[in-house]
């Protein structure tokens, strides 16, 4: 059986091994987003609508590529943070493995919201209906994750 110190060291090693490339990809994605949404797209909008759409596409593609590169490592980081949060915050009479699942789902919900908020300006520039479809998908995904959390909480109360 692993001691708490060994588990903590494994988590810390996992975080260190993926944090640099994740930080690089996410930092580059945020810089592209900032310059694109706050500088280049408004400048292109002053020229004409076609230029705005073209610049929107030019900024959208590298932002998406960098984000897609980072998503698997961010997912791993979310799993590690879920374990840390489950060990730090005990609630109700839920088993530790179920608490890890609850925190993992909660962190995934937060990640979905943040990613949607980053994509909002791009999708809205393409067409508001596309933005609405993606919002509906994100809300449904969050609803199903929340449903899973509530299911675990209700099952723990029934026992």
């Amino acid at each position: 059986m692993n001691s708490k110190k060994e588990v903590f060291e494994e988590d810390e090693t996992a975080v260190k091994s993926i944090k640099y490339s994740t930080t690089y990809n996410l930092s580059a994605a945020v810089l592209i987003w900032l310059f694109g949404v706050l500088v280049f797209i408004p400048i292109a909008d002053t020229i004409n609508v076609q230029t705005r759409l073209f610049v929107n596409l030019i900024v959208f593609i590298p932002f998406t590529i960098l984000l897609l590169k980072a998503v698997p490592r961010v997912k791993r980081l979310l799993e590690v943070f879920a374990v840390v949060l489950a060990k730090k915050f005990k609630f109700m009479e839920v088993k530790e493995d179920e608490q890890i699942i609850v925190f993992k789902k909660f962190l995934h919900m937060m990640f979905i919201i943040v990613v949607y908020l980053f994509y909002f300006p791009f999708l809205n520039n393409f067409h508001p209906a596309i933005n609405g479809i993606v919002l509906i998908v994100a809300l449904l995904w969050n609803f199903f994750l929340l449903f899973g959390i509530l299911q675990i909480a209700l099952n723990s109360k029934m026992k």
Side-chain angles (χ1 to χ4, degrees):
M1 195 107 213
N2 289 345
S3 68
K4 288 184 178 183
K5 186 177 180 180
E6 290 174 358
V7 170
F8 180 75
E9 288 174 358
E10 289 174 9
D11 291 344
E12 188 176 330
T13 305
V15 170
K16 282 182 181 179
S17 67
I18 60 178
K19 74 178 179 181
Y20 295 111
S21 59
T22 306
T23 303
Y24 171 76
N25 285 334
L26 290 179
S27 299
V30 167
L31 281 174
I32 288 172
W33 185 88
L34 285 171
F35 277 103
V37 170
L38 299 177
V39 178
F40 296 127
I41 293 174
I43 289 172
D45 195 27
T46 60
I47 298 171
N48 61 21
V49 175
Q50 290 82 14
T51 308
R52 182 190 74 195
L53 288 174
F54 184 66
V55 170
N56 190 45
L57 188 63
I58 289 172
V59 174
F60 176 79
I61 290 171
F63 175 76
T64 301
I65 290 170
L66 287 170
L67 196 64
L68 287 176
K69 281 181 166 180
V71 164
R73 290 183 295 269
V74 169
K75 189 175 178 183
R76 177 67 182 123
L77 281 174
L78 292 179
E79 290 173 3
V80 171
F81 289 139
V83 170
V84 171
L85 288 173
K87 291 180 181 187
K88 180 135 176 110
F89 302 106
K90 304 283 184 191
F91 59 91
M92 295 188 280
E93 294 181 16
V94 181
K95 298 176 197 168
E96 187 173 342
D97 59 335
E98 290 179 343
Q99 285 182 353
I100 292 170
I101 293 170
V102 166
F103 280 114
K104 191 185 306 184
K105 288 183 182 213
F106 178 74
L107 290 172
H108 280 105
M109 288 173 62
M110 295 298 108
F111 183 68
I112 291 167
I113 291 169
V114 169
V115 168
Y116 171 74
L117 290 175
F118 272 111
Y119 273 103
F120 177 80
F122 297 126
L123 298 174
N124 214 27
N125 279 332
F126 287 130
H127 196 279
I130 295 171
N131 192 24
I133 291 169
V134 173
L135 177 62
I136 291 169
V137 169
L139 289 175
L140 284 173
W141 195 356
N142 275 341
F143 173 75
F144 287 123
L145 289 171
L146 183 63
F147 184 72
I149 291 172
L150 292 175
Q151 202 172 22
I152 291 172
L154 291 176
N155 284 340
S156 69
K157 286 204 175 213
M158 295 292 189
K159 292 179 182 179

